[in-house]
Amino acid sequence: MTNREILKILREIAAFFEMEGVSFKPQAYEAAALGIETYAREAEEIYKTGGTDALMEIPGVGKGIAGHIEELFKKGSFKEYRDFKRKYPIDVLGLVAIEGVGPKMVKLLWEKLRVRAVNDLEKAARAGKIRALERFGEKSEQKILKGIEFLKQSGGRQALGFALAEIRSLEKMIQLFPEVARALVAGSVRRRKETIGDIDILAASKRPARVMEQFLKLPFIAHVYAKGTTKTLVKLKNGLDADLRVVPKESWGAALNYFTGSKEHNIALREIAIQKGWKLNEYGLFKGEKMIAGRTEEEVYEKLGLRYIEPEMRENMGEIKAAQENKLPRLIGYSDIQGDLQMQTDWTDGENSIEEMARAAMSAGLRYIAITDHTKSLAMTGGADEKKLLRQMEAIDKINRKYKDLKFKVLKGAEVNIMKNGTLDIEDDVLKKLDVAGAAAHSHFTLSRAEQTKRIIRAMENPNVDIIFHLTTRVIHKRGPIELDIDEIIKAARRTNTVLEIDAYPDRLDIKDEYVRKCVDAGVKMAIDSDAHSVNHFKYLEMGIGQARRGWATRGDIINAHPLKEMLKFLKER
DNA sequence: GCCGTTTTCGGCCCGACTGTTTTCAGTCG
């Protein structure tokens, strides 16, 4: 049984306990589910070697839940879960995924209307049966239908990189409101998560009611869920929900901290406050009635005895301890990238010529790029064979001669295809001539974990391969990652000095933050590339930098955050 | 049910808004 299946069952149990009004157990099961979700290894694997003791190493998993998981491995189920399922034969997770529907409502819907799943609920709502229930009305019924509609059309989340430009223009508009002293988008956008479910906007103002009025007049707004004097929740025309909160200027820092999250990070901060006998909320840090910090985020962290923690690190994944011990890394900066090592041109499936890409990269502030068109086994892209690659090298030489006074360099590269058995589709004597040889898998996504791991490691062992592009091949909202033993991959990368790419394209972001952190810890170098297929895609490098920062990477960890000479020297000597 | 520089019991984050309520439970972030 996979981690994914286990955490789904744990989440179900949490919801069942909540339906029954049991205290604390819901949070305990939720915490265990989160622990498994973020655990790097498969629980079944560690159970095989270390039993329930090993399972209890997972954060949030104690004796009780470890026992349940053991039964899941042995029998596929356990008693409490079976009892709940018998009592409530319903799709509780599907139902609570609807905006505004929680466990208590699910219980009522089941008991009164025999609602088992989302389509039952939709039918009941359309038939006007919801409004007849006690404590429900016509509005609740409409709200449920809208929630179902949204869930259907968007799956609830969007890739941040695709929405970021729009979010920034919304932020700018609010900043320009005359009554607004400061405004910033907080939440998962500020933490640069891969995908976002909503936009949390924070504004400081003396006249919150006026700000809300102005906000509701903005052209982006499709629907208003809730409006108050300090908090308004709307749906934007782009399908995202936006939440605007207005606070007094004195509370700006505390509020920004609170609304940036993550929830887990905030809880940990509040616990530190409690230990000191204080209270932390979105209005400030309080000692009794007296506010002792909150004007700036820096002030809040300082008062709590912490160094300032960058938003991308706020996940309660060790950053608080590091901040206490003054051991936070100095993260790579958003303007540190000097070159881009993966892009495609009209030689294969890109939209623009080599020269157009070079010019666009220059305007994006880059000093060098590598042209990495696909290779021959990707026939549908017009992938290059050895001859075509050699021709492209000549074309690149020509462009470099043309631009030699501009201190900008186009490197010769390729996105060489990794075959099923881990060999490459380009001969070694041609690979040797490239400045940057990236290798990537584009097929055979369903190989077993062992085969897939062996395949990628074999590609890394080719001394001509510099970088593995988009290691896990996942596409957000489209397909999951290939099965890999990531620890073995990182070991092999370390041994062969192979660079692992952080592909910055918004629905790839591959490798993910958790793996970035493993690379940082193991001393494996990475490259942040746009994977641009058009001159408009260089802007996505920012998403890759965000991903690197979420994985605690410093400038030293990223080879293309260095000048060309240094970067090439690294590739040559590796 | 989990957890521990207030350790093996007694805690477990905190506040805003909605709807349908004459005082608050439920949901969300």
Side-chain angles (χ1 to χ4, degrees), chain A residues 6-20 22 25-30 33 65 68 72 77-85 88 92-93 103:
Chain A
I6 298 167
L7 70 94
K8 194 170 154 265
I9 290 171
L10 296 177
R11 292 227 155 95
E12 266 186 284
I13 301 266
F16 287 137
F17 274 125
E18 207 154 330
M19 281 165 69
E20 306 220 315
V22 176
K25 290 195 189 193
Q27 294 92 312
Y29 277 91
E30 276 292 341
I65 293 180
H68 291 329
L72 283 176
S77 188
F78 56 91
K79 185 169 183 304
E80 284 84 338
Y81 183 56
R82 279 194 302 274
D83 290 348
F84 271 133
K85 288 301 265 187
Y88 306 110
V92 61
L93 295 184

Side-chain angles (χ1 to χ4, degrees), chain A residues 400-539:
Chain A
N400 277 327
R401 280 197 292 275
K402 188 168 166 184
Y403 289 111
K404 74 170 187 289
D405 297 333
L406 290 174
K407 292 185 177 168
F408 182 87
K409 179 94 175 182
V410 182
L411 299 173
K412 300 160 188 168
E415 180 177 5
V416 187
N417 198 32
I418 302 176
M419 310 306 281
K420 186 180 179 184
N421 64 4
T423 58
L424 305 173
D425 68 341
I426 295 292
E427 296 297 328
D428 281 326
D429 56 340
V430 175
L431 288 182
K432 265 185 206 145
K433 295 195 165 87
L434 295 170
D435 298 310
V436 180
H442 296 92
S443 58
H444 305 291
F445 298 135
T446 55
L447 294 179
S448 73
R449 185 185 170 90
E451 284 175 298
Q452 201 71 268
T453 304
K454 202 171 138 202
R455 172 195 188 196
I456 302 296
I457 290 177
R458 182 161 180 201
M460 290 203 246
E461 281 168 346
N462 182 320
N464 295 311
V465 170
D466 299 303
I467 309 179
I468 300 293
F469 288 161
H470 52 69
L471 173 69
T472 75
T473 75
R474 64 109 175 240
V475 178
I476 293 172
H477 293 150
K478 191 173 161 200
R479 70 165 180 255
I482 53 175
E483 298 263 352
L484 284 174
D485 185 333
I486 195 71
D487 294 320
E488 283 303 314
I489 295 282
I490 287 175
K491 256 190 243 164
R494 170 89 197 159
R495 173 167 52 84
T496 59
N497 266 321
T498 308
V499 176
L500 293 184
E501 182 192 56
I502 300 173
D503 187 311
Y505 204 76
D507 61 6
R508 282 202 183 265
L509 291 174
D510 188 6
I511 52 182
K512 62 178 176 177
D513 51 10
E514 184 192 327
Y515 296 168
V516 171
R517 197 153 162 201
K518 280 175 177 280
C519 286
V520 169
D521 290 344
V524 167
K525 299 291 180 207
M526 290 162 281
I528 298 172
D529 303 332
S530 68
D531 197 356
H533 282 61
S534 134
V535 291
N536 301 315
H537 292 166
F538 290 111
K539 63 178 180 220

